[in-house]
C-alpha cells in the first residue's frame, strides 16, 4: 500500500498538445510554484500586465486537469483499503456478540452472589456514619469544655491582673479553639469579646504606665540627690584621707620621728550601686532599700504587654516621646526662686533621669536605644550649659559660684560612672574660673580691709593652748617648736591671724573651685591668684594702713613685727596651696618667688625708721651745745649723744620683744646712718664756723660710744650683723679719722681713699677741713709763734685743701 502511494506521487503532470514552447515553460513554472506552495502573485501581475489573463486561466485549468487523474488514482487505492477494513469488522462483530452474552451471564451470577454482601455493606456504612457523628459530637463537647476552661483561666488572670497570661489564653483560644468551635453563638461571642479584652488590657496597662511616669519624676529627683550625695561622701572621704596623709607628711617633715599611718579602705561604691540597681539584680526593683518606689516593673510590664499585643514599636515611640517631654519640663528654671536655692533640685532631677535611663537601656530589652539616650544627653548637656552660662553671668558672689560649681562637679562625677561624657559641663566651669577668682579677690579685699581697720596695734594675748594652736600653729608662724607658757603674749597683733585666715580661706576656695574640674595640674593657676591676693590686695591694704594709720613709734614697730610674721606665713600659704593641689612640696619650693609683701614691709620699716629719726632729731638738736673751740675733749661724750643712747637703749629693750633681729638691725642701721649724717651735716653746715681738734676728739668719743652701743647688741644678731650695723656710722667715722690723721693728704691717694675714705664727699672734706683750727692759731697766738716751724699736720691739711680746690 505504501509502495503504491509513493509510486503514484512520482507521476509527472501532462501538458496540452499543440502549445508552444513558451506556454509550456510558463505552465511548468506555475505548476512548480503551486507544488512548492509559493506565491502566485508575480504570475498574476505579469499576466494582467501583458493583458492576457486567459492564458493564466488556461494554465490553471490545465494544471487542475492534470491533478484530477492523480486524485483519482489515490482514491482508488484508499477505497480498496476501506473494503478490506470493513470485512475485518464484520468478522469481529460475531466475536463481540458472543463476548456480550458471556458477560451478561457472568453479571447475572455476580449479582446473585453480591446482593447479600451489598446489603451488609450498606448497614456497615450507615453504622460508621453514626459512629463518626457521635465521635464528632464528643470532640465538639471536649473542645467546648477546653475552650470553657481556657476562657475561665483568662477571666481569672484578668481578675488577678495577670494580663500577660490572659493574653496568652486569648492567643490560645484564637489559634487552637476558635476555628474548631462548632457553636456559632460561642464563636460570635468570642469574636466580640477578644478584641474588647485586649483593648481593656491596653487601657489598664497604659494607665499603670502613666502613673509610673508621674511617680518616676519624684523618684528620679530623690535618686539623683542620693547619687550625688554618695559622690559627695566619697569625695569627702578622699579629702579626709588626703588630709591625714598631709598631716602625717607635715609631722614627718617637722620632726625626725618616724610617723606610721594607715589608710582605711572602704568600698564606697557598693552603697550607690545597690541604690541604683547596679549590683547585678534582675532590674525589676532598683534599690528599694534606699528609695521605696524605685520600681521598673510597671514599665517593663507595659512594654512586655505591648509586645504581646504586637504594639512594641508604638510603645517604644510613646515611651521616648513622654520621657523627652519630661526631660524638657525638667529644664525649666523657676524665675521666682533664686537659682542658688533651686540648683540642687534642678541638677538632681536631671541626674536621676539619666541614671534611670541608663538602667532601662541596660536591662530594658531594647526599649530605648543607645543612640536615643545619647541624643537625650546631648540635649540635656546643651541646656545645662546654657543655664550655667546665664546664671554665672548674673552672679556677683564668689561663694555662690563655688557652691554651684561643686554641685555641678559632683553631678559630673556621678554621671561619668554611667558612661555619660561631661567635658562640656567642665568646660563651662573652667570658662568662669577668672570671674570666680576676681569675685573672690574682691571679697577678700573687703575682709582684709575690715580686719586691718580693726587693728589696735597691740600684741596679741593668748590665754589657752587652743588659741595658740588656732592663731599660730595652724599657720606655721611659730619661731620655736616648744609650746610657750600661758598666758602668752605674741609678737604680732590680732591682724596677722585674721589676715592669715582670710588668705588660707582664699587658697582653699581656689583649690576647691579648681579641683574636680577636669584639670589635673592646677597649682600654677592657684599660685597665680595667690600671688595676686598677696601682692595686689594684702600688700596694697597694708600700704594704705601704714600711710594712713601709723603715727607713733609703737604702731610702726608693731606693723614691722607683723610684716616679719607675715613673711613666714606667706611660705605657709604656698606650701598649703601645693599640698591641697596635690604636688610635692619640693616642686613648690623650687618655684618659690620673692616675698610678695616687699612693698608693705619696706614701707613699714621706712615709717619706723622715719619716726625714730624724728625722735633722734630732737635729741640731736643738743649738738648745738657742743663747744667747738674746746680746750680739751669731753671724756664722757657730749650731751646729745648720751640722750640719743638712752633713747636707743630703751627702744632696743622694747623692740627685741617683737621685732626679729634682721628687722631690728636694718632699722638701727638706718638710724645710726642718719645720726652719722647729722654729725657730718653739722660740721659742714653754717652753724659751725670753726672747730678745734679737741672738739673733733669729743665727736670721736661720741662715735665710739655709738659703736660701743652697736657692739653690745652682738649677742642679739648673727655673725657679721654687728659690723653691718656699725657701717651706718661709716661716713662720720671716716671724716673724724681723716681730721685726726697725722697725714690727711693721704686722702689724695686713690688707693687709700678707696680703702679708708670711700664714703666721704671731697667737697664736704674741703669745707670741713677749712674750719679746723690749730691750737696755735688762737687769738694773739701768732705773735708768739711767728717765725716758728709750721705744724706738719697743718701743712698736710693745707696741702689737701689746696689740692682738692684745684681739682674742683
Amino acid at each position: 500500500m505504501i509502495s503504491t502511494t509513493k509510486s503514484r506521487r512520482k507521476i509527472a503532470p501532462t501538458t496540452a498538445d499543440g502549445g508552444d514552447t513558451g506556454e509550456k515553460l510558463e505552465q511548468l513554472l506555475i505548476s512548480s510554484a503551486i507544488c512548492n506552495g509559493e506565491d502566485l502573485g508575480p504570475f498574476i501581475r505579469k499576466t494582467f500586465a501583458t493583458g492576457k489573463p486567459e492564458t493564466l486561466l488556461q494554465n490553471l485549468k490545465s494544471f487542475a486537469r492534470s491533478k484530477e487523474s492523480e486524485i483519482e488514482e489515490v482514491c482508488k487505492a484508499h477505497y480498496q483499503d476501506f473494503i478490506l477494513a470493513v470485512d475485518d469488522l464484520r468478522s469481529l462483530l460475531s466475536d463481540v456478540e458472543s463476548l456480550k452474552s458471556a458477560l451478561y451471564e457472568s453479571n447475572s451470577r455476580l449479582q446473585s452472589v453480591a446482593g447479600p454482601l451489598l446489603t451488609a455493606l450498606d448497614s456497615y456504612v450507615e453504622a460508621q456514619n453514626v459512629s463518626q457523628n457521635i465521635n464528632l459530637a464528643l470532640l465538639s463537647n471536649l473542645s467546648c469544655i477546653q475552650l470553657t476552661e481556657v476562657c475561665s483561666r483568662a477571666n481569672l488572670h484578668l481578675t488577678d491582673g495577670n494580663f500577660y497570661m490572659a493574653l496568652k489564653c486569648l492567643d490560645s483560644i484564637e489559634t487552637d479553639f476558635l476555628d474548631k468551635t462548632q457553636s456559632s453563638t460561642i464563636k460570635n461571642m468570642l469574636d466580640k469579646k477578644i478584641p474588647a479584652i485586649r483593648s481593656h488590657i491596653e487601657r489598664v496597662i497604659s494607665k499603670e504606665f502613666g502613673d509610673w511616669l508621674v511617680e518616676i519624676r519624684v523618684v528620679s529627683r530623690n535618686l539623683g540627690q542620693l547619687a550625688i550625695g554618695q559622690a559627695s561622701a566619697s569625695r569627702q572621704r578622699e579629702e579626709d584621707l588626703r588630709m591625714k596623709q598631709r598631716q602625717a607628711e607635715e609631722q614627718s617633715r617637722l620632726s625626725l620621728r618616724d610617723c606610721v599611718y594607715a589608710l582605711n579602705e572602704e568600698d564606697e561604691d557598693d552603697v550607690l550601686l545597690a541604690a541604683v540597681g547596679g549590683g547585678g539584680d534582675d532590674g525589676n526593683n532598683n534599690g528599694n532599700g534606699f528609695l521605696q518606689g524605685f520600681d521598673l516593673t510597671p514599665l517593663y510590664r507595659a512594654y512586655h504587654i505591648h509586645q504581646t499585643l504586637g504594639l512594641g514599636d508604638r510603645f517604644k515611640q510613646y515611651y521616648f516621646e513622654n520621657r523627652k517631654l519630661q526631660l524638657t519640663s525638667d529644664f525649666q528654671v523657676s524665675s521666682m526662686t533664686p537659682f542658688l536655692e533651686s540648683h540642687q533640685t534642678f541638677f538632681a532631677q536631671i541626674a536621676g533621669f539619666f541614671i534611670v535611663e541608663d538602667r532601662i537601656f541596660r536591662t530594658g530589652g531594647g526599649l530605648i536605644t543607645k543612640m536615643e539616650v545619647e541624643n537625650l544627653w546631648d540635649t540635656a548637656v546643651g541646656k545645662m550649659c546654657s543655664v550655667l552660662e546665664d546664671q554665672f553671668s548674673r552672679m556677683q558672689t564668689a561663694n555662690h559660684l563655688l557652691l554651684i560649681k561643686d554641685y555641678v562637679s559632683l553631678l559630673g562625677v556621678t554621671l561619668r560612672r554611667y558612661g555619660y561624657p561631661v567635658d562640656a559641663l567642665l568646660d563651662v566651669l573652667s570658662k568662669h574660673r577668672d570671674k570666680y577668682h576676681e569675685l573672690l579677690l574682691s571679697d577678700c579685699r573687703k575682709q582684709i580691709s575690715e580686719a586691718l581697720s580693726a587693728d589696735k596695734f597691740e600684741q596679741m594675748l593668748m590665754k589657752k593652748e587652743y588659741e595658740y594652736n588656732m592663731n599660730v600653729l595652724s599657720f606655721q608662724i611659730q619661731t620655736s617648736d616648744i609650746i610657750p607658757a600661758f598666758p602668752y603674749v605674741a609678737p604680732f597683733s590680732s591682724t596677722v591671724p585674721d589676715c592669715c585666715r582670710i588668705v588660707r580661706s582664699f587658697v582653699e576656695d581656689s583649690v576647691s573651685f579648681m579641683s574636680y574640674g577636669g584639670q589635673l595640674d592646677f597649682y600654677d593657676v592657684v599660685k597665680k591668684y595667690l600671688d595676686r591676693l598677696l601682692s595686689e590686695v594684702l600688700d596694697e591694704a597694708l600700704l594704705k594702713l601704714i600711710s594712713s594709720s601709723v603715727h607713733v613709734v609703737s604702731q610702726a614697730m608693731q606693723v614691722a613685727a607683723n610684716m616679719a610674721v607675715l613673711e613666714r606665713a606667706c611660705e605657709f600659704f604656698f606650701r598649703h596651696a601645693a599640698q591641697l593641689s596635690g604636688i610635692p612640696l619640693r616642686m613648690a619650693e623650687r618655684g618659690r618667688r620673692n616675698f610678695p609683701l616687699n612693698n608693705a614691709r619696706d614701707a613699714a620699716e621706712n615709717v619706723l625708721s622715719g619716726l625714730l629719726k624724728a625722735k633722734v632729731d630732737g635729741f640731736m638738736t643738743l649738738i648745738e651745745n657742743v663747744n667747738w673751740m674746746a680746750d680739751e675733749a669731753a671724756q664722757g661724750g657730749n650731751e646729745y649723744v648720751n640722750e640719743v643712747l638712752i633713747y636707743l637703749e630703751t627702744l632696743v629693750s622694747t623692740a627685741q620683744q617683737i621685732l626679729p633681729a634682721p628687722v631690728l638691725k636694718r632699722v638701727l642701721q638706718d638710724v645710726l646712718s642718719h645720726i652719722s649724717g647729722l654729725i657730718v651735716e653739722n660740721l659742714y653746715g653754717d652753724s659751725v664756723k670753726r672747730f678745734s681738734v679737741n672738739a673733733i676728739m669729743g665727736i670721736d668719743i661720741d662715735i665710739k660710744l655709738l659703736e660701743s652701743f652697736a657692739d653690745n647688741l652682738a649677742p642679739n644678731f648673727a655673725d657679721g650683723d654687728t659690723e653691718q650695723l656699725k657701717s651706718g656710722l661709716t661716713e662720720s667715722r671716716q671724716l673724724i679719722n681723716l681730721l685726726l690723721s697725722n697725714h690727711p693728704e693721704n686722702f689724695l691717694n686713690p688707693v687709700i681713699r678707696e680703702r679708708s675714705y670711700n664714703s666721704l664727699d671731697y667737697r664736704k672734706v674741703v669745707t670741713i677741713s677749712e674750719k679746723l683750727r690749730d691750737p696755735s692759731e688762737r687769738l694773739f697766738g701768732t705773735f708768739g709763734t711767728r717765725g716758728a716751724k709750721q705744724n706738719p699736720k697743718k701743712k698736710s691739711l693745707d696741702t689737701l685743701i689746696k689740692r682738692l680746690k684745684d681739682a674742683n
Side-chain angles (χ1 to χ4, degrees):
M1 182 73 118
I2 296 175
S3 60
T4 306
T5 303
K6 290 183 178 180
S7 63
R8 286 201 299 266
R9 289 178 181 174
K10 294 180 181 179
I11 298 173
T14 59
T15 58
D17 295 336
D20 55 10
T21 305
E23 291 176 353
K24 291 180 180 180
L25 178 60
E26 185 175 357
Q27 185 177 359
L28 287 173
L29 292 174
I30 292 173
S31 299
S32 175
I34 293 172
C35 292
N36 295 329
E38 297 178 356
D39 187 15
L40 299 180
F43 296 100
I44 298 173
R45 284 194 295 271
K46 180 179 178 182
T47 301
F48 281 95
T50 56
K52 296 179 181 181
E54 295 84 0
T55 305
L56 178 60
L57 291 175
Q58 184 179 358
N59 291 332
L60 292 175
K61 290 178 181 181
S62 299
F63 180 75
R65 285 193 298 270
S66 65
K67 290 298 181 180
E68 288 178 355
S69 59
E70 184 178 351
I71 293 171
E72 183 180 354
E73 290 295 330
V74 173
C75 288
K76 288 178 179 181
H78 288 174
Y79 177 75
Q80 292 175 0
D81 295 336
F82 176 74
I83 293 300
L84 292 175
V86 169
D87 293 339
D88 292 337
L89 289 174
R90 283 179 178 177
S91 63
L92 288 173
L93 182 59
S94 60
D95 295 334
V96 170
E97 288 295 334
S98 60
L99 181 60
K100 180 178 178 182
S101 60
L103 289 174
Y104 179 76
E105 292 176 359
S106 297
N107 181 54
S108 298
R109 288 194 301 271
L110 179 62
Q111 290 292 334
S112 61
V113 174
L117 294 177
L118 290 175
T119 303
L121 181 60
D122 291 339
S123 300
Y124 172 76
V125 170
E126 183 178 358
Q128 190 178 21
N129 290 334
V130 172
S131 176
Q132 289 179 353
N133 290 336
I134 293 172
N135 290 334
L136 182 60
L138 291 174
L139 291 175
S140 298
N141 289 334
L142 181 61
S143 177
C144 288
I145 292 171
Q146 293 176 349
L147 176 60
T148 304
E149 291 177 353
V150 174
C151 291
S152 177
R153 287 201 304 271
N155 288 331
L156 181 61
H157 291 317
L158 283 174
T159 304
D160 295 341
N162 193 355
F163 298 135
Y164 174 72
M165 295 305 299
L167 289 175
K168 283 300 181 182
C169 289
L170 295 181
D171 291 341
S172 178
I173 291 172
E174 287 184 326
T175 57
D176 299 335
F177 299 104
L178 192 59
D179 294 336
K180 300 177 182 180
T181 301
Q182 302 297 323
S183 174
S184 60
T185 303
I186 296 178
K187 189 172 183 179
N188 293 333
M189 182 270 294
L190 292 176
D191 287 337
K192 294 179 181 178
K193 291 297 182 179
I194 290 177
I197 292 172
R198 286 177 172 163
S199 298
H200 170 72
I201 292 175
E202 184 180 358
R203 286 194 300 270
V204 174
I205 287 296
S206 297
K207 183 179 182 303
E208 291 181 359
F209 174 66
D211 295 339
W212 179 84
L213 284 176
V214 175
E215 295 173 358
I216 199 62
R217 294 198 66 187
V218 179
V219 173
S220 296
R221 180 169 61 252
N222 295 334
L223 179 62
Q225 291 173 346
L226 173 66
I228 295 176
Q230 292 291 337
S232 177
S234 176
R235 178 181 295 181
Q236 186 60 44
R237 284 192 292 270
E238 293 175 0
E239 290 293 338
D240 292 341
L241 291 175
R242 280 197 291 267
M243 183 177 295
K244 292 178 182 178
Q245 183 179 0
R246 284 196 298 268
Q247 291 175 353
E249 291 176 352
E250 186 64 22
Q251 186 178 0
S252 176
R253 187 179 67 86
L254 296 176
S255 65
L256 297 178
R257 298 188 304 272
D258 293 333
C259 299
V260 180
Y261 57 92
L263 302 180
N264 296 324
E265 298 181 358
E266 297 181 6
D267 192 1
E268 67 274 6
D269 292 335
D270 291 344
V271 177
L272 181 59
L273 289 176
V276 299
D281 53 20
D282 59 358
N284 291 331
N285 193 327
N286 295 327
N288 286 332
F290 293 88
L291 289 176
Q292 295 295 334
F294 179 41
D295 189 3
L296 296 179
T297 300
L299 171 64
Y300 293 157
R301 183 184 185 191
Y303 180 45
H304 192 198
I305 293 301
H306 279 82
Q307 283 182 318
T308 306
L309 291 171
L311 305 174
D313 292 338
R314 191 180 77 176
F315 182 78
K316 289 181 184 179
Q317 185 66 25
Y318 179 71
Y319 169 79
F320 180 74
E321 293 298 333
N322 277 274
R323 291 292 281 167
K324 187 175 182 180
L325 289 174
Q326 283 189 340
L327 182 61
T328 303
S329 65
D330 292 340
F331 292 151
Q332 303 301 320
V333 179
S334 175
S335 59
M336 304 299 294
T337 305
F339 188 69
L340 183 65
E341 299 177 5
S342 63
H343 75 279
Q344 292 189 1
T345 303
F346 175 78
F347 290 115
Q349 186 75 56
I350 296 176
F353 178 93
F354 283 100
I355 291 174
V356 171
E357 287 305 309
D358 175 76
R359 185 61 178 163
I360 293 172
F361 165 69
R362 290 188 290 111
T363 63
L367 176 57
I368 188 169
T369 64
K370 183 178 181 180
M371 183 64 69
E372 289 173 335
V373 176
E374 290 177 351
N375 291 337
L376 290 176
W377 175 244
D378 291 341
T379 303
V381 168
K383 184 61 179 179
M384 286 190 289
C385 291
S386 175
V387 170
L388 286 175
E389 290 279 2
D390 179 61
Q391 296 297 331
F392 281 171
S393 65
R394 300 180 184 180
M395 290 183 180
Q396 298 301 321
T397 304
N399 189 43
H400 295 175
L401 271 170
L402 180 59
L403 289 175
I404 294 176
K405 177 266 170 188
D406 285 342
Y407 206 79
V408 172
S409 65
L410 289 173
L411 170 72
V413 171
T414 300
L415 292 180
R416 188 184 282 120
R417 294 181 176 180
Y418 298 91
Y420 295 105
V422 295
D423 294 340
L425 289 174
L426 300 181
D427 290 342
V428 173
L429 300 180
S430 299
K431 182 179 178 182
H432 291 82
R433 179 186 68 193
D434 293 337
K435 178 178 181 179
Y436 169 76
H437 283 94
E438 291 298 333
L439 293 175
L440 193 59
L441 287 172
S442 178
D443 292 343
C444 291
R445 182 176 286 108
K446 296 177 183 177
Q447 296 172 11
I448 290 174
S449 177
E450 293 173 358
L452 293 179
S453 63
D455 191 11
K456 297 180 180 179
F457 303 102
E458 297 176 355
Q459 291 178 259
M460 189 174 183
L461 176 63
M462 302 178 198
K463 298 180 180 180
K464 301 292 182 181
E465 184 176 353
Y466 78 88
E467 295 179 354
Y468 182 80
N469 294 333
M470 180 176 62
N471 295 311
V472 178
L473 295 182
S474 60
F475 306 113
Q476 300 177 10
I477 54 178
Q478 70 275 12
T479 56
S480 173
D481 293 335
I482 301 174
I483 302 297
F486 296 97
Y488 169 68
V489 179
F492 50 83
S493 64
S494 61
T495 297
V496 172
D498 290 342
C499 291
C500 288
R501 272 186 282 273
I502 295 171
V503 176
R504 183 179 63 183
S505 176
F506 175 89
V507 171
E508 293 172 352
D509 289 345
S510 177
V511 171
S512 179
F513 189 89
M514 296 302 300
S515 299
Y516 310 103
Q519 184 177 353
L520 298 179
D521 185 10
F522 50 83
Y523 172 70
D524 291 339
V525 178
V526 176
K527 180 175 177 292
K528 180 184 75 171
Y529 287 107
L530 177 58
D531 283 337
R532 286 189 57 188
L533 174 67
L534 295 175
S535 61
E536 296 180 11
V537 178
L538 183 57
D539 194 45
E540 292 178 2
L542 289 170
L543 286 172
K544 183 178 179 181
L545 174 71
I546 293 169
S547 62
S548 62
S549 301
V550 178
H551 305 295
V552 297
V553 172
S554 61
Q555 293 177 340
M557 191 177 298
Q558 187 62 66
V559 173
N562 290 349
M563 295 307 304
V565 178
L566 285 174
E567 186 169 1
R568 294 195 298 274
C570 287
E571 297 178 358
F572 161 75
F573 296 145
F574 287 102
R575 287 198 306 271
H576 189 54
Q579 287 178 333
L580 294 179
S581 301
I583 69 168
L585 292 179
R586 62 180 181 276
M587 294 181 63
E589 294 174 355
R590 188 184 306 163
R592 182 180 300 173
R593 52 165 290 173
N594 295 329
F595 180 46
L597 303 179
N598 267 330
N599 295 333
R601 180 185 63 186
D602 295 344
E605 294 181 6
N606 291 336
V607 169
L608 177 59
S609 299
L611 293 173
L612 292 177
K613 291 175 185 177
K615 278 285 188 179
V616 168
D617 288 345
F619 299 118
M620 289 298 292
T621 56
L622 297 176
I623 201 173
E624 297 175 355
N625 299 331
V626 174
N627 184 4
W628 296 107
M629 298 301 297
D631 293 334
E632 59 182 11
Q635 297 300 319
N638 291 298
E639 181 184 7
Y640 78 91
V641 77
N642 289 322
E643 294 294 333
V644 167
L645 287 173
I646 292 172
Y647 176 72
L648 290 179
E649 288 173 353
T650 304
L651 173 71
V652 168
S653 64
T654 303
Q656 284 178 341
Q657 299 177 9
I658 60 174
L659 285 180
V663 177
L664 180 59
K665 185 208 70 174
R666 289 194 296 269
V667 172
L668 289 177
Q669 183 179 349
D670 194 22
V671 172
L672 292 177
S673 177
H674 178 69
I675 295 172
S676 176
L678 289 177
I679 293 174
V680 174
E681 288 297 325
N682 272 278
L683 293 174
Y684 177 72
D686 296 335
S687 61
V688 178
K689 304 297 183 181
R690 304 282 283 179
F691 53 83
S692 65
V693 173
N694 292 326
I696 295 300
M697 290 180 178
I699 298 297
D700 179 56
I701 294 174
D702 295 341
I703 295 175
K704 288 181 178 179
L705 290 174
L706 292 173
E707 291 173 341
S708 176
F709 165 77
D711 290 333
N712 292 335
L713 295 178
N716 299 321
F717 299 139
D719 295 340
D721 285 351
T722 304
E723 295 301 322
Q724 290 185 11
L725 184 61
K726 291 167 63 176
S727 66
L729 300 170
T730 299
E731 184 180 11
S732 59
R733 166 50 63 198
Q734 290 181 358
L735 178 62
I736 298 303
N737 290 341
L738 178 64
L739 295 176
L740 296 178
S741 173
N742 291 325
H743 303 283
E745 75 275 9
N746 289 339
F747 181 79
L748 299 175
N749 188 328
V751 177
I752 297 177
R753 183 169 68 247
E754 181 64 26
R755 183 181 68 245
S756 303
Y757 307 110
N758 55 1
S759 297
L760 296 180
D761 183 355
Y762 72 93
R763 289 182 291 271
K764 291 182 179 181
V765 170
V766 172
T767 303
I768 294 173
S769 298
E770 288 180 335
K771 295 181 180 183
L772 178 62
R773 173 178 290 187
D774 189 79
S776 61
E777 295 181 5
R778 289 184 176 184
L779 186 61
F780 306 115
T782 56
F783 295 101
T785 59
R786 182 173 298 177
K789 187 177 180 181
Q790 189 177 8
N791 187 350
K793 178 180 178 180
K794 175 64 176 175
K795 182 178 179 180
S796 176
L797 187 62
D798 292 340
T799 302
L800 172 64
I801 295 172
K802 183 177 183 302
R803 293 280 299 275
L804 291 176
K805 284 184 176 180
D806 293 340
N808 192 24

